[in-house]
Amino acid sequence: DGPKVGALGLDATVVGRTLETLPGGRQVSRFEANGEQYDVYVQLAAEDRASPETLSTIYLRSPRGEMIQLSNIVTVTESVAPKDLRRFNQLRAVTLSANLAPGTSLGDVLNFLENTAREVLPSNVQTDLAGQSREFRSASQSLAVVFVLALGFIYLVLSAQFESFRDPLIILITVPLSMTGAPAALYWTGGSLNVFSQIGLVTLVGLITKHGILIVEFANQQQEAGMQRLEAVIEAAVLRLRPILMTTGAMVLGAIPLALAEGAGAESRQQIGWVIVGGMSLGTLLTLFVVPTVYTLIGRKHRAGEAHGAMHPAHQPAE
């Protein structure tokens, strides 16, 4: 009570320092003993500061020498306040943390929270993400760009290798085929589309194109050897079946330890492992049928002996 403090001749600074010292505690000095340094605090005993009635036991001396009870000039009001004020992006913030329930994905939960926030929170309240949720949303926004860049890079490399803009298209048909197996594996194993599974999808783009390269390259060689396009691609599919299966088996068996991982960090390794196992398995099966079919429809016709660097017999003059 400011006016009452002034009428009694007290100083508000003294009142505040008394409240700071006795109920709250204040360091007033230090002393050393036996090589140890000790801090000296002035504070009421714990049992004497456990309730608001403590104010009736504290007295202040006025300039006139009178002892004034602190409860006469201080009013205690009980209220509820946060223990600490957290900030995020230099704004006061409240953090909501939760664990995903079985069968739910991080993307679905974030969409639900954002929709609920728009309906419930006032218009002047902002929302943002942190931690794994922030990484997932950031990776999701850039996933399409990463896929386009990956496919574009592979297409340019294959175009230079085959000296054609048509053959790489046939090879890249394997990419969407493998993408059908990866989500299926995640669904059957209870996984979700998150940062780690997206890393596995990008890795899968480079792994699955190997099968198309084996078939298309060998079929081109068979045409250059004199075979028709249909006969060449059938021969390529038959003769390259073993290398394709061996490559798939090595990749799938190598990814199974990731898919069945346990312990710390197992969730991230499992997501990558199941994407590779599911994508390679189903993608390989579909590749063996789809790539030869597409090759017969849009594949280039190679004439015998047109291979780059082919050797031609030289005519020797008759002696």
Side-chain angles (χ1 to χ4, degrees), residues 263-310:
E267 294 181 355
S268 60
R269 296 195 295 270
Q270 289 174 358
Q271 302 294 312
I272 298 176
W274 283 119
V275 166
I276 295 177
V277 170
M280 288 298 299
S281 300
L282 185 59
T284 299
L285 179 62
L286 297 177
T287 296
L288 295 175
F289 296 96
V290 175
V291 171
T293 303
V294 176
Y295 186 87
T296 59
L297 296 176
I298 64 174
R300 291 185 302 154
K301 293 183 179 181
H302 296 262
R303 291 174 298 178
E306 71 173 2
H308 179 69

Side-chain angles (χ1 to χ4, degrees), residues 199-256:
I199 294 174
L201 290 175
V202 176
T203 305
L204 191 61
V205 174
L207 296 177
I208 196 64
T209 52
K210 178 67 175 176
H211 302 338
I213 294 174
L214 290 175
I215 294 177
V216 173
E217 183 179 13
F218 193 80
N220 291 343
Q221 294 176 1
Q222 294 298 96
Q223 285 196 69
E224 293 163 1
M227 283 190 178
Q228 297 296 322
R229 183 168 55 184
L230 179 59
E231 297 175 351
V233 73
I234 294 176
E235 185 74 8
V238 173
L239 295 181
R240 290 304 189 188
L241 176 61
R242 183 185 298 177
I244 289 175
L245 294 180
M246 292 176 63
T247 303
T248 301
M251 293 179 181
V252 171
L253 293 177
I256 284 180

